[in-house]
């Protein structure tokens, strides 16, 4: 019975109470029922403190019994002083035994509000002290007018998928044997990555233009590798079916230009003949995501120009000077770098890939998982970039295992390929090969071993998660940024 019932219900309740008074022992019996239910629930829950599932079940049973009692027992007996207030063993919500069973949405909202307030004060203080520092130097250089060769190179990249399609078409008609087909695919994929590298190195272009072109070139290269590898696998399956082997497999080998064209623009790196599709394009949702993309891209540019550029320009080379000064610079750079990195993740993996998927009605929107909860470094790499992870597993890791390479060797090979492409995307636009990005990615291999050891030894998810955040956002990225900036400045100074 609810407390805020109208007078009519309370009057009917009082009539029931009078009826109970006419029957001796009626009220005491009701109280006994409540006491018995409470004591039985307490005994059931106390006997299963160690079993979380049983405890939740007992709590549901107790709540249900209490609800039934409240509905059938008069108000004056339910809320009397002799009714027990403590029925079973319970933990405080913030205790170690119950903290992960509670919802902390309110505390998360408090943290968001506090972060907004603190950072708003810092932004206002920075603007009052230094003024608006946003310029065009980072986004374009004095030579950016001559960046048109990079644009033409980007527009000509579709030549390579067209060449791969022609090779597969000839292979389908059996005009070439497998060795020639594989050789031609190797030539096409190699040219697809070397062509942009040569264009960038020959042109004095801005960093952002060169970095964008290298990202597109790497995506095209990975898509071509997936297309060639998948087509080869489908040909082998078709041949085995023709010979009578694996007769239960129905895997048709078809070469479709429409499938390849859709694959080249779809937000995936793994080729297949068909993909899950959404029912329609949500225009209102699409407009909201585009607005968010513009806002967060502008916020990212503001933080780079207003905070990161001044810190980097006033810093010293982290490996050539006072150690304490280098540590202070890295820590001062870590917070704005973290914000820029999170904005980059949100803009690229959540907004842009979902916008592209919506336009193409691409159904599988799992572009990332909860990487922020990663307990080890290898778990982070499996969660944060799902298109690349699926490509690595499908075309690098499992093929290595099938060829007899142990799991540790396959993991090192995967990290090596990732390190090479990270180096290309940074070193080529800078026109400086110091291999800092390559070494940073390869350094993940011992970190994988270290975080796995800590996780297995301490059985504490917080240790591995904090180790991941420290090496990625507090130490690794700011240090890499400082190293490349000062090496580029030293190269330009030596050249001048």
């Amino acid at each position: 019975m609810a407390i805020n019932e109208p007078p009519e219900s309370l009057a009917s309740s009082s009539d029931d109470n009078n009826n109970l008074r006419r029957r001796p022992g009626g009220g005491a019996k009701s109280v006994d029922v409540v006491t018995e239910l409470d004591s039985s629930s307490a005994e059931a829950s106390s006997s299963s403190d160690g079993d979380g599932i049983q405890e939740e079940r007992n709590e549901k049973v107790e709540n249900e019994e209490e609800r039934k009692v409240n509905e059938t027992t008069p108000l004056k007996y339910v809320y009397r002083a002799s009714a027990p207030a403590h029925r079973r063993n319970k933990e405080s919500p913030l205790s170690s035994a119950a903290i992960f069973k509670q919802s902390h949405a309110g505390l998360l909202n408090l943290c968001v509000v506090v972060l907004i307030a603190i950072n708003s004060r810092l932004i206002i203080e920075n603007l009052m002290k230094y003024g608006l520092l946003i310029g065009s130097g980072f986004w374009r250089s004095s030579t950016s007018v001559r960046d048109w060769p990079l644009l033409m190179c980007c527009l000509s990249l579709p030549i390579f998928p067209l060449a791969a399609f022609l090779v597969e078409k000839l292979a389908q008609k059996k005009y070439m044997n497998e060795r020639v087909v594989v050789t031609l695919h190797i030539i096409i994929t190699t040219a697809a990555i070397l062509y942009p590298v040569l264009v960038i190195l020959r042109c004095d272009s801005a960093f952002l233009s060169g970095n964008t072109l290298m990202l597109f070139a790497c995506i095209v290269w990975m898509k071509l590798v997936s297309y060639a590898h998948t087509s080869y696998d489908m040909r082998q399956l078709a041949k085995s079916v023709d010979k009578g082997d694996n007769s239960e497999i129905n895997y048709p080998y078809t070469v479709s230009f429409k499938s390849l064209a859709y694959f080249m623009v779809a937000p995936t790196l793994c080729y297949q003949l068909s993909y899950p599709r959404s029912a329609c394009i949500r225009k209102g949702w699409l407009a909201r995501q585009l607005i968010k993309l513009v806002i967060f891209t502008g916020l990212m540019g503001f933080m780079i120009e207003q905070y990161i550029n001044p810190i980097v320009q006033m810093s010293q080379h982290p490996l050539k000077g006072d150690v304490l000064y280098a540590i202070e610079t890295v820590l001062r750079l870590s917070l704005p770098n973290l914000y820029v990195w999170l904005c980059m993740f949100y803009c690229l993996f959540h907004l842009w890939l979902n916008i592209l998927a919506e336009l193409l009605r691409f159904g599988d929107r799992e572009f990332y998982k909860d990487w922020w909860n990663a307990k080890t470094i290898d778990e982070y790499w499996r969660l944060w970039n799902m298109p690349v992870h699926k490509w690595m597993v499908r075309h690098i890791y499992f093929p290595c295992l099938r060829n007899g390479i142990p799991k540790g060797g396959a993991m090192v090979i995967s990290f090596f390929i990732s390190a090479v492409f990270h180096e290309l995307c940074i070193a080529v636009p800078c026109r400086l090969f110091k291999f800092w990005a390559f070494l940073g990615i390869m350094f993940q291999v011992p970190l994988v071993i270290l975080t796995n050891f800590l996780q297995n030894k301490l059985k504490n998810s917080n240790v591995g998660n904090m180790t991941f955040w420290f090496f990625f956002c507090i130490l690794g990225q700011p240090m890499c940024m400082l190293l490349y900036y000062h090496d580029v400045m030293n190269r330009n100074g030596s050249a001048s």
Side-chain angles (χ1 to χ4, degrees):
M1 181 184 297
I3 295 177
N4 57 351
E5 285 184 342
E8 292 80 1
S9 62
L10 292 177
S12 64
S13 155
S14 63
D15 294 339
D16 294 338
N17 297 341
N18 293 331
N19 294 331
L20 285 172
R21 289 194 194 100
R22 296 190 190 100
R23 289 179 293 179
K29 184 178 180 181
S30 301
V31 175
D32 293 340
V33 171
V34 177
T35 307
E36 289 174 4
L37 288 172
D38 292 334
S39 60
S40 62
S41 299
E43 291 175 0
S45 60
S46 61
S47 63
S48 58
D49 288 334
D51 191 351
I53 299 176
Q54 186 65 30
E55 184 177 350
E56 293 179 359
R57 188 178 303 153
N58 291 338
E59 185 174 358
K60 291 180 181 178
V61 171
E62 180 184 346
N63 293 336
E64 182 67 21
E65 291 175 346
E66 184 176 357
R67 185 183 64 80
K68 291 180 179 178
V69 169
N70 291 344
E71 290 178 353
T72 58
T73 307
L75 184 65
K76 63 179 292 185
Y77 295 110
V78 173
Y79 295 101
R80 64 185 301 156
S82 61
H86 307 283
R87 300 187 180 99
R88 63 189 184 89
N89 297 340
K90 293 184 179 180
E91 297 287 344
S92 299
L94 295 180
S95 63
S96 59
I99 189 170
F100 295 111
K101 300 178 182 179
Q102 307 293 326
S103 173
H104 303 290
L107 293 177
L108 180 61
N109 292 335
L110 173 64
C111 294
V112 172
V113 171
V114 171
L115 282 175
I116 292 175
I118 293 176
N119 287 282
S120 299
R121 183 193 67 81
L122 292 176
I123 291 174
I124 294 172
E125 180 182 352
N126 181 273
L127 291 173
M128 293 174 61
K129 187 175 182 179
Y130 300 106
L132 192 63
L133 302 177
I134 296 178
S136 59
F138 181 83
W139 304 104
R140 63 178 181 86
S141 65
S142 59
T143 62
S144 61
V145 181
R146 300 200 300 268
D147 282 354
W148 65 268
L150 275 65
L151 177 61
M152 299 303 296
C153 176
C154 186
L155 294 177
S156 61
L157 287 178
I159 296 175
F160 300 102
L162 181 60
F165 170 75
L166 293 176
V167 170
E168 285 299 320
K169 201 67 177 177
L170 294 174
Q172 183 187 27
K173 296 182 178 180
K174 299 181 180 180
Y175 291 156
M176 296 182 295
N177 58 30
E178 288 296 335
R179 181 173 297 180
V180 175
V181 172
V182 172
T183 303
L184 289 177
H185 276 304
I186 292 175
I187 294 173
I188 292 171
T189 52
T190 305
I193 198 69
L194 289 182
Y195 170 51
V197 170
L198 295 176
V199 172
I200 294 173
L201 293 179
R202 289 180 62 88
C203 300
D204 188 14
S205 60
F207 171 80
L208 187 61
S209 301
N211 181 256
T212 304
L213 177 58
M214 282 307 306
L215 286 175
F216 276 115
C218 292
I219 291 172
V220 170
W221 184 87
M222 297 175 77
K223 285 176 177 282
L224 290 177
V225 170
S226 179
Y227 178 67
H229 196 177
T230 305
S231 298
Y232 174 83
D233 196 39
M234 287 192 298
R235 282 198 304 274
Q236 301 306 313
L237 287 173
K239 290 179 181 179
S240 63
V241 170
D242 292 340
K243 293 179 180 179
D245 302 332
N246 300 324
S247 57
E248 297 180 357
I249 300 177
N250 185 13
Y251 216 114
Y253 169 59
T254 58
V255 180
S256 171
F257 180 77
K258 183 179 179 181
S259 298
L260 177 60
Y262 183 85
F263 166 63
M264 294 306 298
V265 295
T268 180
L269 299 174
C270 295
Y271 175 73
Q272 57 193 61
L273 294 177
S274 62
Y275 297 92
R277 306 292 293 273
S278 56
C280 61
I281 298 176
R282 298 167 292 177
K283 297 180 180 178
W285 181 90
L286 191 63
R288 291 193 297 270
Q289 304 309 309
L290 287 171
I291 294 172
K292 290 180 185 178
L293 181 63
V294 172
I295 292 174
F296 278 93
T297 302
L299 179 62
M300 186 165 53
F302 171 79
M303 287 187 289
I304 290 174
E305 291 291 334
Q306 193 71 24
Y307 291 95
I308 292 181
N309 274 355
I311 295 175
V312 172
Q313 291 170 4
M314 293 185 296
S315 65
Q316 297 178 358
H317 198 289
L319 301 181
K320 300 177 183 177
D322 188 6
V323 176
L324 292 178
Y325 179 82
I327 295 175
E328 190 271 338
T329 303
V330 169
L331 293 177
R332 190 151 49 98
L333 190 60
S334 61
L335 187 60
N337 176 82
L338 173 61
Y339 290 160
V340 170
W341 185 61
L342 292 176
C343 284
M344 180 276 301
F345 163 78
Y346 186 70
C347 288
L348 177 60
F349 289 95
H350 183 73
L351 295 177
W352 170 245
L353 291 181
N354 272 289
I355 289 171
L356 188 60
E358 189 71 18
L359 289 172
L360 297 172
R361 294 173 51 210
F362 188 83
D364 188 0
R365 310 290 175 90
E366 192 183 50
F367 304 120
Y368 58 90
K369 293 184 180 179
D370 57 335
W371 55 266
W372 45 87
N373 294 325
K375 304 177 184 63
T376 60
I377 297 297
D378 61 334
E379 185 178 1
Y380 161 76
W381 286 109
R382 292 197 304 267
L383 298 178
W384 103 282
N385 189 341
M386 294 306 295
V388 172
H389 169 69
K390 291 177 182 177
W391 185 90
M392 282 285 184
V393 169
R394 190 185 191 197
H395 301 291
I396 302 297
Y397 186 76
F398 281 139
C400 288
L401 296 182
R402 284 195 296 268
N403 285 276
I405 299 176
K407 291 184 177 180
M411 182 189 69
V412 173
I413 293 174
S414 300
F415 274 106
F416 177 81
I417 294 175
S418 176
V420 170
F421 281 95
H422 276 79
E423 181 69 21
L424 286 176
C425 290
I426 299 177
V428 172
C430 292
R431 291 177 293 280
L432 182 73
F433 292 91
K434 289 287 187 177
F435 297 100
W436 299 123
F438 177 85
L439 295 175
I441 299 299
M442 292 306 296
F443 185 63
Q444 306 301 309
V445 176
L447 282 180
V448 168
I449 300 174
L450 173 63
T451 53
N452 285 337
F453 171 78
L454 292 175
Q455 180 65 23
N456 296 329
K457 189 72 175 178
L458 301 178
K459 303 296 182 182
N460 190 343
S461 60
N462 293 329
V463 174
N465 188 256
M466 288 188 291
T467 304
F468 147 69
W469 282 113
F470 174 76
F471 279 107
F472 265 81
C473 300
I474 306 301
L475 178 62
Q477 294 177 10
M479 179 65 73
C480 189
M481 186 183 303
L482 290 173
L483 289 170
Y484 271 106
Y485 173 80
H486 286 286
D487 286 337
V488 171
M489 292 296 103
N490 292 336
R491 185 206 64 182
N492 293 339
S494 301
S496 61

